Amino acid sequence: TGEWYGSIDGRYRYERQADAFATRWSQAVAVVAGVDPELAAALEGWAQPRLARLDRPSPTLVHGDYGVTNLLWTGSDVSSVLDWEYARFGDPREDWSKIAMGARFAEPNSFGDQAAVEALRAGYLAGGGASEALEPVSLYGAYYTALLAVVLDSAPRFRWLSELVEYGGPID
Protein backbone atom coordinates (compact mmCIF):
# COMPACT_ATOMS: atom_id res chain seq x y z
CA THR A 1 0.00 0.00 0.00
CA GLY A 2 1.01 3.61 -0.41
CA GLU A 3 0.49 6.90 1.36
CA TRP A 4 -1.00 8.75 -1.62
CA TYR A 5 -2.76 8.22 -4.93
CA GLY A 6 -0.59 8.77 -7.99
CA SER A 7 -1.25 10.12 -11.45
CA ILE A 8 -0.59 7.96 -14.51
CA ASP A 9 2.41 10.09 -15.50
CA GLY A 10 3.85 9.96 -11.97
CA ARG A 11 4.07 13.73 -11.61
CA TYR A 12 1.23 14.24 -9.14
CA ARG A 13 0.31 12.86 -5.73
CA TYR A 14 -3.20 13.10 -4.34
CA GLU A 15 -4.48 12.56 -0.83
CA ARG A 16 -7.94 11.65 -2.08
CA GLN A 17 -8.75 8.96 -4.61
CA ALA A 18 -11.51 11.10 -6.11
CA ASP A 19 -9.05 13.89 -6.89
CA ALA A 20 -6.62 11.49 -8.53
CA PHE A 21 -9.31 9.99 -10.73
CA ALA A 22 -11.19 13.20 -11.59
CA THR A 23 -8.48 14.40 -13.99
CA ARG A 24 -8.43 11.10 -15.85
CA TRP A 25 -12.23 11.02 -15.97
CA SER A 26 -12.31 14.52 -17.50
CA GLN A 27 -9.89 13.41 -20.20
CA ALA A 28 -12.07 10.40 -21.06
CA VAL A 29 -15.15 12.63 -21.28
CA ALA A 30 -13.25 15.03 -23.56
CA VAL A 31 -12.40 12.13 -25.88
CA VAL A 32 -16.07 11.12 -26.06
CA ALA A 33 -17.08 14.77 -26.61
CA GLY A 34 -15.06 14.78 -29.81
CA VAL A 35 -17.42 12.12 -31.17
CA ASP A 36 -20.67 12.60 -29.26
CA PRO A 37 -20.92 15.86 -27.25
CA GLU A 38 -24.40 15.05 -25.91
CA LEU A 39 -23.29 11.70 -24.50
CA ALA A 40 -20.17 13.33 -23.02
CA ALA A 41 -22.29 15.90 -21.17
CA ALA A 42 -24.58 13.16 -19.89
CA LEU A 43 -21.58 11.10 -18.74
CA GLU A 44 -20.15 14.09 -16.89
CA GLY A 45 -23.42 14.64 -15.03
CA TRP A 46 -23.76 10.94 -14.26
CA ALA A 47 -20.19 10.79 -12.88
CA GLN A 48 -20.22 13.78 -10.54
CA PRO A 49 -22.00 12.16 -7.57
CA ARG A 50 -19.97 8.97 -8.08
CA LEU A 51 -16.68 10.88 -8.10
CA ALA A 52 -17.68 12.56 -4.85
CA ARG A 53 -18.17 9.13 -3.19
CA LEU A 54 -14.99 7.60 -4.61
CA ASP A 55 -12.62 7.06 -1.72
CA ARG A 56 -10.57 4.20 -0.31
CA PRO A 57 -8.76 4.22 3.01
CA SER A 58 -5.39 3.37 1.49
CA PRO A 59 -4.11 3.16 -2.07
CA THR A 60 -2.59 -0.08 -3.37
CA LEU A 61 -0.42 -0.89 -6.35
CA VAL A 62 -2.31 -0.69 -9.65
CA HIS A 63 -0.81 -1.92 -12.93
CA GLY A 64 -2.88 0.39 -15.10
CA ASP A 65 -2.96 -1.79 -18.25
CA TYR A 66 -3.29 -5.34 -17.01
CA GLY A 67 -4.06 -7.74 -19.86
CA VAL A 68 -2.75 -10.77 -21.75
CA THR A 69 -0.30 -8.84 -23.90
CA ASN A 70 1.44 -7.61 -20.76
CA LEU A 71 2.06 -11.08 -19.36
CA LEU A 72 5.07 -13.31 -19.97
CA TRP A 73 4.03 -16.95 -20.05
CA THR A 74 6.01 -20.08 -19.22
CA GLY A 75 3.84 -22.88 -20.51
CA SER A 76 0.40 -22.26 -19.01
CA ASP A 77 1.74 -20.20 -16.09
CA VAL A 78 2.37 -16.47 -15.91
CA SER A 79 6.02 -15.94 -15.06
CA SER A 80 6.15 -12.12 -15.20
CA VAL A 81 3.97 -9.06 -15.61
CA LEU A 82 5.39 -6.58 -18.12
CA ASP A 83 4.95 -2.91 -19.05
CA TRP A 84 4.58 -1.14 -15.73
CA GLU A 85 4.71 2.39 -17.17
CA TYR A 86 1.14 3.16 -15.99
CA ALA A 87 1.65 1.66 -12.52
CA ARG A 88 0.88 3.82 -9.52
CA PHE A 89 -0.79 3.67 -6.15
CA GLY A 90 -4.54 3.65 -6.66
CA ASP A 91 -7.66 1.54 -6.41
CA PRO A 92 -7.24 -2.14 -7.44
CA ARG A 93 -10.77 -2.03 -8.87
CA GLU A 94 -9.27 -0.01 -11.73
CA ASP A 95 -7.40 -3.09 -12.97
CA TRP A 96 -10.40 -5.34 -12.33
CA SER A 97 -12.72 -2.99 -14.21
CA LYS A 98 -10.40 -3.02 -17.21
CA ILE A 99 -10.43 -6.82 -17.08
CA ALA A 100 -14.25 -6.92 -16.79
CA MET A 101 -14.76 -4.41 -19.63
CA GLY A 102 -12.32 -6.39 -21.79
CA ALA A 103 -14.47 -9.48 -21.28
CA ARG A 104 -17.61 -7.49 -22.13
CA PHE A 105 -16.08 -5.72 -25.16
CA ALA A 106 -13.20 -7.65 -26.67
CA GLU A 107 -10.04 -5.61 -27.15
CA PRO A 108 -6.48 -6.58 -28.10
CA ASN A 109 -5.20 -6.69 -24.49
CA SER A 110 -8.25 -8.39 -22.94
CA PHE A 111 -8.59 -11.83 -21.45
CA GLY A 112 -11.42 -12.40 -23.89
CA ASP A 113 -14.28 -14.01 -22.04
CA GLN A 114 -15.94 -14.41 -18.69
CA ALA A 115 -14.37 -17.84 -18.07
CA ALA A 116 -10.90 -16.28 -18.22
CA VAL A 117 -11.99 -13.49 -15.87
CA GLU A 118 -13.36 -16.06 -13.40
CA ALA A 119 -10.05 -17.96 -13.51
CA LEU A 120 -8.22 -14.71 -12.72
CA ARG A 121 -10.60 -14.03 -9.83
CA ALA A 122 -10.04 -17.51 -8.41
CA GLY A 123 -6.26 -17.14 -8.65
CA TYR A 124 -6.36 -13.70 -7.05
CA LEU A 125 -8.43 -14.94 -4.12
CA ALA A 126 -6.32 -18.10 -3.72
CA GLY A 127 -3.24 -15.87 -3.49
CA GLY A 128 -4.75 -13.94 -0.59
CA GLY A 129 -6.34 -11.04 -2.51
CA ALA A 130 -9.23 -9.14 -0.95
CA SER A 131 -12.64 -9.98 -2.42
CA GLU A 132 -13.81 -6.34 -2.20
CA ALA A 133 -11.09 -5.38 -4.68
CA LEU A 134 -12.73 -7.62 -7.29
CA GLU A 135 -15.96 -5.69 -7.55
CA PRO A 136 -15.72 -3.32 -10.52
CA VAL A 137 -16.94 0.17 -9.80
CA SER A 138 -19.20 1.34 -12.62
CA LEU A 139 -17.27 4.61 -12.77
CA TYR A 140 -14.04 2.78 -13.65
CA GLY A 141 -15.86 0.59 -16.14
CA ALA A 142 -17.33 3.67 -17.80
CA TYR A 143 -13.87 5.26 -17.90
CA TYR A 144 -12.25 2.34 -19.75
CA THR A 145 -15.26 1.93 -22.02
CA ALA A 146 -15.27 5.63 -22.91
CA LEU A 147 -11.58 5.67 -23.77
CA LEU A 148 -11.81 2.56 -25.92
CA ALA A 149 -15.14 3.51 -27.53
CA VAL A 150 -13.41 6.10 -29.68
CA VAL A 151 -10.57 3.90 -30.95
CA LEU A 152 -12.11 0.42 -31.06
CA ASP A 153 -15.44 -1.03 -32.23
CA SER A 154 -17.37 1.93 -30.90
CA ALA A 155 -21.06 1.19 -31.49
CA PRO A 156 -21.55 -1.36 -28.66
CA ARG A 157 -19.46 0.71 -26.26
CA PHE A 158 -21.36 3.93 -26.98
CA ARG A 159 -24.65 2.04 -26.62
CA TRP A 160 -23.51 0.64 -23.24
CA LEU A 161 -22.44 4.11 -22.04
CA SER A 162 -25.77 5.61 -23.16
CA GLU A 163 -27.70 2.92 -21.30
CA LEU A 164 -25.53 3.34 -18.22
CA VAL A 165 -26.30 7.07 -18.12
CA GLU A 166 -29.97 6.71 -19.07
CA TYR A 167 -30.76 4.13 -16.40
CA GLY A 168 -28.35 5.39 -13.78
CA GLY A 169 -26.09 2.36 -13.85
CA PRO A 170 -25.13 0.20 -10.92
CA ILE A 171 -24.60 1.81 -7.54
CA ASP A 172 -20.88 2.26 -6.89
Side-chain angles (χ1 to χ4, degrees), residues 15-83:
E15 289 184 31
R16 290 179 4 107
Q17 176 186 9
D19 295 336
F21 190 68
T23 301
R24 291 173 38 219
W25 175 257
S26 294
Q27 292 168 346
V29 170
V31 168
V32 172
V35 178
D36 187 337
E38 187 176 314
L39 176 58
L43 276 171
E44 188 62 28
W46 171 86
Q48 288 311 307
R50 288 163 174 82
L51 280 169
R53 293 193 313 263
L54 193 60
D55 208 11
R56 291 181 56 83
S58 60
T60 59
L61 182 64
V62 174
H63 183 273
D65 190 24
Y66 194 79
V68 294
T69 61
N70 290 331
L71 301 177
L72 188 60
W73 297 85
T74 302
S76 61
D77 297 323
V78 174
S79 59
S80 297
V81 179
L82 308 171
D83 296 334

Side-chain angles (χ1 to χ4, degrees), residues 59-140:
T60 59
L61 182 64
V62 174
H63 183 273
D65 190 24
Y66 194 79
V68 294
T69 61
N70 290 331
L71 301 177
L72 188 60
W73 297 85
T74 302
S76 61
D77 297 323
V78 174
S79 59
S80 297
V81 179
L82 308 171
D83 296 334
W84 288 89
E85 68 268 17
Y86 297 121
R88 67 203 170 282
F89 286 113
D91 184 340
R93 293 176 296 183
E94 292 181 51
D95 283 340
W96 283 107
S97 289
K98 183 179 184 307
I99 292 167
M101 291 298 104
R104 180 183 294 267
F105 307 109
E107 50 126 331
N109 195 23
S110 72
F111 289 91
D113 62 22
Q114 197 58 41
V117 173
E118 290 307 317
L120 282 170
R121 291 169 74 91
Y124 177 78
L125 292 171
S131 61
E132 64 91 20
L134 294 172
E135 299 309 317
V137 176
S138 60
L139 186 61
Y140 291 133

